[in-house]
């Protein structure tokens, strides 16, 4: 029997070779390949493919033996990837092609059936949703740890007074606990945003095919249920074209990094010789290669710096998507590197900030003593006058005058108020 004509063979490096008469130019091959970064999706790709195979079996599109063989071989491939057995470079176009080719090499025609009713467009959309969901739950967990740490520290320091600042000028006394509560409140908002986003994005694109669905009797709902989705994305065109969830997550990550960066900035200021509000633990600070005296808050500066990169990733994905006609365009392969980077960056930042906070020593005596005189309590005095019936604007003016007098005569606000017949209780 003649061997099959070459256009019916599935080539080692590409599964779509039928209509092509030439090999891909090596420069294009390298340029086109995303395997060196999208390999991180291998788990999601295999998870999705296994359920897709089960669905094909349920719908009698493949036999039980074929489904079993596909699933077992995919499990083997996963173990091998995790064992570092494969070189994931540009030899293959992407992680989806790589896994499918391995499958076909091992189980031949049965392997060729896996892609029935599926396109890489809905496949990659599924993988990215599964990846986003998994990473979001890791971020959630780490955010909860941070919030708990802040809550504990806040309780511990609920009575330790410090100057509060506006315009980086001493403004009113607050407790260190009150200050830490602000960050708890910010990170709780991030947590809620993340939870909401997880709900919004939890719909399955699989079964959308390239974009127009399929005439095959696929069961989209079965796949969605088996993969833990709340339903399917009804519009098959939207299912493959949508990257809103990546934009939303990138934006939530950016906001959370902005919060981490502000916290870092506060603590950098507090760790300066001039402030000396906190003492950095040796295991969370670094030295200078030249100046033996230095102890630097590198961890905090890195969080602040990485935040800039994460903002850049958000701008990238927004810009990549803004001009794309429906449905899939290869531009969308560029959704990954920046997003993976943002996810990894927030995970590593959260992993370091929580133990950092637990290691920091708060110099509460210095904080309290740094409250310059009793001028910081001017607002309290003003409110006392208001309670005595003086109109707010008049009271404000009056206390302002007392402050001036206090500064000029180097007296305390309390003394000046007393001279004016108002007794302050401190
Ligand atoms: N690697 C591609 C991506 O990440 C997979 C989808 C390819 N689809 C296609 N029609 N070429 O977007």
């Amino acid at each position: 029997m003649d061997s099959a004509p070459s256009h019916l063979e599935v080539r080692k490096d590409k599964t779509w070779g039928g209509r092509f008469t030439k090999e891909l130019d090596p420069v294009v091959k390298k340029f086109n390949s995303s395997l060196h970064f999208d390999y991180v999706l291998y788990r999601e790709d295999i998870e999705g493919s296994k359920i897709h195979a089960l669905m094909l079996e349920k719908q009698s599109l493949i036999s039980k033996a074929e489904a079993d063989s596909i699933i077992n071989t995919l499990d083997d491939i996963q173990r091998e990837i995790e064992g570092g057995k494969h070189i994931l470079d540009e030899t293959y176009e992407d992680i989806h092609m790589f896994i499918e080719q391995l499958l076909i090499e091992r189980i031949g025609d049965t392997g060729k059936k896996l892609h029935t009713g599926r396109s890489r467009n809905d496949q990659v959309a599924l993988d990215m949703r599964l990846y986003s969901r998994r990473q979001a739950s890791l971020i959630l967990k780490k955010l909860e740890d941070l919030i708990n740490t802040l809550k504990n520290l806040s309780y511990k320091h609920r009575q330790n007074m410090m100057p509060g600042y506006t315009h980086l000028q001493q403004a009113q006394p607050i407790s260190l606990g009150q200050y830490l509560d602000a960050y708890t409140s910010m990170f709780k908002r991030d947590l809620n945003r993340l939870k909401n986003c997880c709900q919004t994005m939890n719909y399955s694109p699989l079964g959308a095919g390239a974009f127009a669905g399929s005439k095959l009797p696929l069961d989209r709902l079965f796949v969605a249920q088996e993969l833990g989705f709340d339903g399917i994305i009804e519009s098959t065109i939207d299912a493959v074209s949508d990257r809103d969830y990546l934009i939303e997550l990138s934006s939530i990550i950016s906001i959370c990094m902005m919060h981490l960066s502000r916290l870092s900035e506060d603590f950098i200021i507090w760790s300066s010789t001039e402030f000396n509000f906190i003492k950095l633990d040796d295991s969370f600070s670094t030295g200078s290669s030249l100046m033996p005296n230095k102890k630097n808050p590198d961890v905090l500066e890195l969080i602040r710096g990485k935040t800039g990169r994460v903002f850049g990733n958000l701008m990238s994905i927004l810009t990549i998507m803004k001009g794309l006609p429906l449905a899939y365009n290869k531009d969308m392969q560029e959704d990954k590197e920046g997003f993976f980077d943002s996810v990894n960056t927030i995970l590593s930042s959260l992993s370091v900030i929580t133990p950092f906070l637990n290691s920091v020593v708060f110099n509460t005596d210095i904080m309290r003593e740094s409250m310059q005189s009793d001028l910081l309590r001017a607002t309290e005095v003003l409110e006392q006058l208001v309670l005595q019936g003086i109109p707010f604007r008049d009271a404000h003016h009056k206390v302002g005058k007392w402050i001036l007098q206090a500064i000029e005569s180097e007296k305390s606000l309390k003394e000046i108020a007393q001279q004016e017949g108002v007794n302050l209780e401190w």
Side-chain angles (χ1 to χ4, degrees), residues 178-368:
Q178 244 178 307
Y179 165 89
L180 294 167
D181 278 346
Y183 281 102
T184 309
S185 164
M186 288 144 85
F187 292 121
K188 272 189 182 164
R189 261 198 318 272
D190 295 332
L191 194 82
N192 286 335
R193 265 191 278 269
L194 204 51
K195 284 183 180 165
N196 289 340
C197 179
C198 286
Q199 273 186 2
T200 315
M201 76 180 176
N202 201 29
Y203 291 86
S204 170
L206 209 72
F211 71 100
S214 168
K215 292 252 158 64
L216 293 169
L218 307 175
D219 187 342
R220 293 190 64 194
L221 269 176
F222 171 82
V223 169
Q225 271 158 11
E226 292 298 308
L227 289 170
F229 286 107
D230 294 325
I232 59 168
I233 303 168
E234 294 283 348
S235 160
T236 55
I237 299 181
D238 185 38
V240 294
S241 314
D242 172 37
R243 294 293 183 272
D244 291 4
Y245 59 101
L246 294 184
I247 296 174
E248 262 186 77
L249 276 174
S250 300
S251 143
I252 293 166
I253 291 173
S254 294
I255 296 173
C256 184
M257 284 300 295
M258 179 267 287
H259 291 155
L260 286 171
S261 184
R262 292 187 76 174
L263 177 68
S264 298
E265 173 64 4
D266 273 340
F267 278 50
I268 289 167
I269 295 172
W270 289 8
S271 70
S272 66
T273 315
E274 287 70 17
F275 267 77
N276 199 20
F277 280 8
I278 54 171
K279 182 167 167 289
L280 301 174
D281 192 90
D282 279 1
S283 59
F284 282 88
S285 40
T286 43
S288 153
S289 58
L290 193 144
M291 302 166 283
N293 55 317
K294 289 304 298 290
K295 190 165 149 184
N296 297 326
D298 285 24
V299 164
L300 303 170
E301 290 169 355
L302 277 172
I303 291 176
R304 194 176 56 184
K306 285 171 192 290
T307 301
R309 224 183 50 230
V310 166
F311 289 3
N313 294 335
L314 172 62
M315 282 308 116
S316 299
I317 180 70
L318 281 168
T319 313
I320 289 164
M321 295 307 294
K322 81 179 246 303
L324 296 188
L326 296 180
Y328 178 84
N329 301 268
K330 190 79 171 206
D331 312 45
M332 287 155 83
Q333 182 163 284
E334 293 297 317
D335 63 358
K336 296 182 187 58
E337 285 161 291
F339 180 67
F340 295 161
D341 176 50
S342 290
V343 164
N344 292 333
T345 304
I346 192 161
L347 284 172
S348 63
S349 301
L350 288 169
S351 298
V352 75
I353 195 70
T354 303
F356 172 90
L357 287 173
N358 280 318
S359 77
V360 128
V361 174
F362 293 93
N363 295 331
T364 49
D365 289 346
I366 295 178
M367 286 181 171
R368 192 179 46 252

Side-chain angles (χ1 to χ4, degrees), residues 24-118:
L24 202 55
D25 186 290
V27 178
V28 176
K29 188 168 175 173
K30 188 164 185 200
F31 189 67
N32 199 36
S33 174
S34 53
L35 185 56
H36 61 287
F37 57 82
D38 68 15
Y39 73 88
V40 297
L41 297 172
Y42 75 88
R43 246 181 324 183
E44 287 75 15
D45 200 69
I46 288 174
E47 190 184 354
S49 286
K50 280 162 65 178
I51 299 299
H52 182 66
L54 276 182
M55 184 275 290
L56 294 177
E57 181 207 328
K58 189 179 91 62
Q59 301 301 97
S60 307
L61 289 162
I62 60 173
S63 70
K64 167 143 178 41
E66 286 170 330
D68 287 348
S69 165
I70 289 173
I71 290 169
N72 292 336
T73 312
L74 286 173
D75 282 337
D76 292 343
I77 293 171
Q78 175 157 353
R79 269 191 296 275
E80 290 163 16
I81 294 176
E82 280 164 359
K85 247 200 93 195
H86 295 286
I87 300 166
L88 304 166
D89 61 13
E90 71 267 4
T91 316
Y92 293 88
E93 194 175 324
D94 54 27
I95 186 64
H96 326 291
M97 290 298 209
F98 172 72
I99 290 171
E100 195 183 335
Q101 281 307 123
L102 282 187
L103 188 73
I104 292 169
E105 271 168 32
R106 304 215 177 150
I107 56 172
D109 284 351
T110 303
K112 293 183 198 165
K113 293 188 179 180
L114 171 63
H115 212 50
T116 306
R118 192 174 71 168

